[in-house]
Amino acid sequence: MPSSNSRDQQQQEERVFKALFMPVSEELKELENEDELKEKVLTLLKNKDNIKEITTIHPYYGHLTITKQELENLKDLKHVLILIKNFNLFKIIAITNNNELNLFNNEMNNEWELINENDKYRLIHFGRDNEMLNNSLQNDYKDFNFFGNLNDENLYNNEIKLLNNNNFTNILNNLDVMNIILQYLNFSELQDFKFVCKKYYLLINNREFILDLVLQHCKNIPLKYLENKQIELRELTNKELFKNYKLYKDYKISFTEMSITWMNGDYWKVEECDKSLFGKVATLNYVWWFEVSKVFPLKKGKYEVYLKYKLKYDSRTNEDLTIVFATENTDNEIKVDVCPLSNSLISKNRNKQDWMETYIGTLETTMNDDRIYFGFRGFNTSGTKSNMSFDYLELRDWSGKKKTLGETKLLSGEHTEEANINVNVTKENTQSKCICM
């Protein structure tokens, strides 16, 4: 006779959540009596020959992804139920009708949504079907609580209780000081800030708050995260959400995502780099014609512009490398005050042989979602530009502090220290005007 421990283990294994394709007859499809339908489905579940398991399941929420090719392979079956099963519990989610997928019963499954994408269907619920799914799925997406039981009322104040009502904008409005501070915190500062008090720790570790933080304060969030009811973003783990906050809080554009003339592996090449936020950088071997460009969307505002790059002992340029910003929208005027990456700066600092950050200047646009052109150029072909690596161009919210054009910091690992660099930028080397393409 099996021990109770082995029975418990077996029962636990049987409770693993599954999603299934189950072919059914027209008569079964038309059944309206819920008990009778349940009895018929339970009988069919015993016959495993005609049942196929759905393998693409979200690890925590239990969202189902069904390709249209999978449905095409079932074209000989007029009606197929999509159901979820957890031990002796099951729920019918959707049904195929001549290769089209529809929710089985909108009233019964009001916590589920069906998204029809180009080559697939997505059945999603974002944790609203807890009874059926979440107990048997991974916990990577759940909030963890450093301070103990989240149900302990002593840990809450009125603002934290609002978390349960998904009213996150009101939280920020009620915490005026926090709302101001959060806009200026980078990723590591935000991690430190949550240890100020229990209230902030609970708030910053709350999953929905992190989502709201990303949506409100990330300027460069990829479009894929905003489409289809933000499914791609909402399915990320807390760790992945914070990674996105780190990536997109300030506007960083990788040089590997830019258009680079002579990027062919000989003159320019992409190299892996563990000190890059993006994991890779663009490295210049040598060119006579130096040209890098990118068009990107930008929200209304005033920004400080920085360039992160690395020089070598034999880095060379025969001219200042000019930086240009312009707008594609002729109805909008942008204010630009930037300096080049000068020949004198490169000559003076090529012995540093470490990553540096140079303050290029300011950029201001008055139109939301304007498309901005960035150009980085050196067209004097009488000599070469050589042996430099470029990580990213960064746009930060204007701090209001007075800065010197060409001011450079040496970046050593995770710490930033001031390099003793003074660069004289002449009036002729700067832009301070409105430009339109």
Side-chain angles (χ1 to χ4, degrees):
M1 183 175 179
S3 66
S4 67
N5 286 341
S6 63
R7 285 199 304 270
D8 291 343
Q9 183 178 356
Q10 182 181 358
Q11 189 178 69
Q12 190 65 35
E13 289 173 355
E14 290 175 348
R15 289 186 62 85
V16 172
F17 161 72
K18 293 182 180 180
L20 306 169
F21 290 117
M22 174 186 287
V24 295
S25 63
E26 184 77 31
E27 293 77 13
L28 184 62
K29 173 181 173 288
E30 299 297 331
L31 279 177
E32 295 183 0
N33 184 289
E34 189 174 340
D35 291 335
E36 190 175 351
L37 176 62
K38 182 176 181 180
E39 184 179 341
K40 293 284 188 183
V41 170
L42 282 172
T43 302
L44 288 171
L45 281 170
K46 295 177 182 177
N47 182 7
K48 299 180 180 180
D49 294 338
N50 296 325
I51 296 174
K52 181 182 177 183
E53 193 164 329
I54 297 171
T55 56
T56 310
I57 301 172
H58 189 271
Y60 173 67
Y61 287 118
H63 297 169
L64 310 181
T65 301
I66 301 168
T67 66
K68 293 184 178 178
Q69 183 59 51
E70 284 181 292
L71 295 183
E72 178 68 22
N73 295 340
L74 300 172
K75 62 184 179 182
D76 294 336
L77 305 170
K78 189 173 183 181
H79 302 298
V80 177
L81 294 181
I82 310 299
L83 58 88
I84 52 177
K85 181 178 179 293
N86 190 346
F87 191 37
N88 60 341
L89 298 175
F90 73 88
K91 180 182 284 189
I92 303 170
I93 302 300
I95 187 167
T96 65
N97 188 10
N98 296 324
N99 269 15
E100 289 188 3
L101 194 63
N102 298 289
L103 289 178
F104 182 72
N105 185 319
N106 286 329
E107 292 182 6
M108 288 174 60
N109 297 316
N110 56 10
E111 67 271 358
W112 286 82
E113 294 181 48
L114 176 64
I115 306 293
N116 186 350
E117 299 181 359
N118 291 333
D119 59 346
K120 62 190 174 186
Y121 289 101
R122 304 279 302 278
L123 285 156
I124 64 172
H125 66 95
F126 287 115
R128 293 190 297 271
D129 201 348
N130 288 322
E131 179 186 7
M132 282 298 298
L133 301 181
N134 291 27
N135 288 338
S136 59
L137 297 172
Q138 295 177 18
N139 296 323
D140 298 350
Y141 294 73
K142 290 185 178 179
D143 303 330
F144 75 95
N145 176 26
F146 181 79
F147 295 100
N149 187 358
L150 281 173
N151 294 320
D152 184 352
E153 289 293 331
N154 294 326
L155 298 180
Y156 286 93
N157 59 19
N158 290 331
E159 289 85 4
I160 297 299
K161 287 181 181 179
L162 287 173
L163 289 170
N164 297 322
N165 300 323
N166 295 333
N167 199 345
F168 307 108
T169 303
N170 284 347
I171 293 170
L172 292 177
N173 291 337
N174 291 340
L175 301 172
D176 292 333
V177 174
M178 187 173 181
N179 192 21
I180 294 169
I181 292 172
L182 287 177
Q183 296 181 46
Y184 297 99
L185 297 184
N186 60 32
F187 174 75
S188 60
E189 291 168 339
L190 184 68
Q191 293 294 302
D192 292 338
F193 184 75
K194 68 184 181 183
F195 292 104
V196 170
C197 68
K198 293 180 181 180
K199 175 178 68 176
Y200 291 164
Y201 190 95
L202 290 169
L203 190 63
I204 292 174
N205 274 290
N206 181 277
R207 177 172 180 75
E208 295 296 335
F209 178 78
I210 302 169
L211 279 166
D212 197 62
L213 195 67
V214 170
L215 289 169
Q216 285 199 38
H217 298 303
C218 288
K219 303 175 185 64
N220 190 25
I221 189 167
L223 187 61
K224 68 176 183 177
Y225 287 138
L226 304 177
E227 296 174 333
N228 293 328
K229 300 184 179 181
Q230 302 163 2
I231 293 173
E232 294 286 343
L233 181 68
R234 294 177 69 194
E235 286 188 340
L236 297 178
T237 64
N238 283 12
K239 183 177 180 180
E240 290 167 337
L241 283 171
F242 270 121
K243 181 179 179 181
N244 275 275
Y245 186 77
K246 182 178 180 180
L247 279 171
Y248 305 118
K249 168 64 173 71
D250 293 316
Y251 211 129
K252 295 181 176 72
I253 307 173
S254 171
F255 269 78
T256 62
E257 297 173 357
M258 298 184 187
S259 174
I260 300 179
T261 303
W262 299 110
M263 171 62 83
N264 60 6
D266 293 326
Y267 299 101
W268 282 90
K269 61 184 176 181
V270 174
E271 290 186 321
E272 293 184 0
C273 177
D274 57 5
K275 289 190 176 182
S276 168
L277 189 64
F278 300 92
K280 53 187 178 180
V281 297
T283 296
L284 169 66
N285 185 13
Y286 68 95
V287 288
W288 285 266
W289 183 281
F290 183 100
E291 186 174 16
V292 179
S293 62
K294 177 72 174 179
V295 176
F296 57 92
L298 187 64
K299 294 181 180 179
K300 179 173 68 174
K302 186 173 182 179
Y303 301 91
E304 296 175 352
V305 183
Y306 295 86
L307 192 67
K308 182 183 174 185
Y309 60 100
K310 182 178 181 180
L311 302 176
K312 299 180 181 179
Y313 70 94
D314 55 351
S315 295
R316 295 284 189 278
T317 176
N318 66 326
E319 61 179 321
D320 292 345
L321 300 177
T322 305
I323 291 176
V324 177
F325 288 98
T327 175
E328 285 191 337
N329 191 329
T330 55
D331 295 329
N332 185 30
E333 289 187 344
I334 62 173
K335 296 179 181 178
V336 182
D337 183 12
V338 297
C339 69
L341 187 62
S342 68
N343 191 350
S344 60
L345 186 148
I346 292 172
S347 297
K348 186 170 185 175
N349 292 287
R350 60 191 180 199
N351 63 324
K352 305 293 183 184
Q353 298 184 47
D354 207 340
W355 290 100
M356 292 183 287
E357 177 185 272
T358 294
Y359 171 66
I360 300 299
T362 59
L363 166 66
E364 184 174 3
T365 178
T366 58
M367 181 178 291
N368 265 327
D369 300 320
D370 195 6
R371 289 179 61 80
I372 302 297
Y373 167 84
F374 163 70
F376 191 24
R377 306 167 175 171
F379 294 160
N380 182 346
T381 57
S382 63
T384 61
K385 298 82 179 166
S386 62
N387 297 318
M388 293 176 266
S389 294
F390 296 91
D391 192 355
Y392 57 75
L393 177 78
E394 179 176 3
L395 278 66
R396 300 176 191 165
D397 286 329
W398 184 57
S399 66
K401 296 179 181 178
K402 187 175 180 180
K403 294 179 180 289
T404 303
L405 290 172
E407 178 182 318
T408 299
K409 291 180 180 180
L410 188 64
L411 306 176
S412 300
E414 296 180 353
H415 304 287
T416 302
E417 58 184 11
E418 295 284 349
N420 187 19
I421 300 170
N422 293 308
V423 180
N424 294 320
V425 181
T426 65
K427 188 73 174 177
E428 291 74 23
N429 282 342
T430 66
Q431 300 178 58
S432 183
K433 55 186 177 181
C434 302
I435 306 176
C436 290
M437 289 182 69

